[in-house]
Amino acid sequence: MTLPAAAPAAVPATAPAAVTVPVAVRTDFRDARALYELSLPFLRSGALRARTPADYRRAADTFLVVRGPDGAPEACAALRVLAPEPGHPPTGVLHNLCVRADRQGRGLGGLLVAAVLAHARRSALSTVVTATTGDGALFARHGFAEVPAAAAPPSWAAELDPSRGSRVFRRLL
């Protein structure tokens, strides 16, 4: 007895595209040049303070990045841990938050802010501060509150350039 042949299974004309979920990962000195190049439009516009490629090389291990399909950073942010200061809890500075122009508006900045905050908690920090020449809405969405510069650790507040008109934000962890 022969069984009837099974009908061929329906095969979609095109397989669904794989969905890649962006993830923030630590970086190191090998990404220093790419970090500098990603930051360059923001340096030129004045949104970031002037830094050299050597500055990025020295600080590369403080950065988190979101990599594109080609492995190059599409977005970055850094967390610098401040030296302890009397009257201030253990504090980190979120800085150099950049998202490549063609990748903006896709949640990468928010993903990096959340990743920096998680890294700060793992590092036993109690507070994260940041300064921006923008409106600070992204930071506010992540629980930061605008504060006067005097509320930040003095060593960091002294680094701020008043001519840039930066607004200071703080997040208690």
Side-chain angles (χ1 to χ4, degrees):
M1 171 175 187
T2 6
L3 296 173
V11 177
T14 59
V19 176
T20 305
V21 177
V23 177
V25 296
R26 294 286 302 266
T27 188
D28 62 29
F29 71 93
R30 292 171 291 190
D31 280 319
R33 188 71 185 169
L35 292 169
Y36 174 74
E37 290 171 3
L38 175 63
S39 303
L40 202 51
F42 302 91
L43 294 166
R44 287 181 178 144
S45 75
L48 289 178
R49 291 184 354 196
R51 292 185 179 91
T52 66
D55 294 328
Y56 284 91
R57 185 172 179 80
R58 280 190 295 277
D61 65 344
T62 67
F63 276 82
L64 297 172
V65 297
V66 175
R67 296 189 185 282
D70 62 355
E74 293 187 332
C76 67
L79 177 67
R80 178 171 53 115
V81 178
L82 297 176
E85 294 193 45
H88 290 275
T91 302
V93 177
L94 186 163
H95 67 98
N96 211 107
L97 176 61
C98 300
V99 178
R100 206 172 72 192
D102 64 331
R103 299 290 287 148
Q104 291 179 7
R106 299 178 187 197
L108 299 182
L111 180 133
L112 280 165
V113 171
V116 165
L117 292 173
H119 181 54
R121 284 186 198 93
R122 288 190 306 274
S123 300
L125 298 176
S126 300
T127 305
V128 174
V129 294
T130 194
T132 182
T133 57
D135 66 9
L138 174 63
F139 299 114
R141 285 194 301 273
H142 287 273
F144 284 79
E146 188 169 2
V147 297
S155 64
W156 177 73
E159 295 175 7
L160 297 174
D161 177 357
S163 69
R164 292 173 40 86
S166 295
R167 298 168 63 191
V168 174
F169 288 81
R170 177 178 65 193
R171 165 75 192 264
L172 303 177
L173 302 176

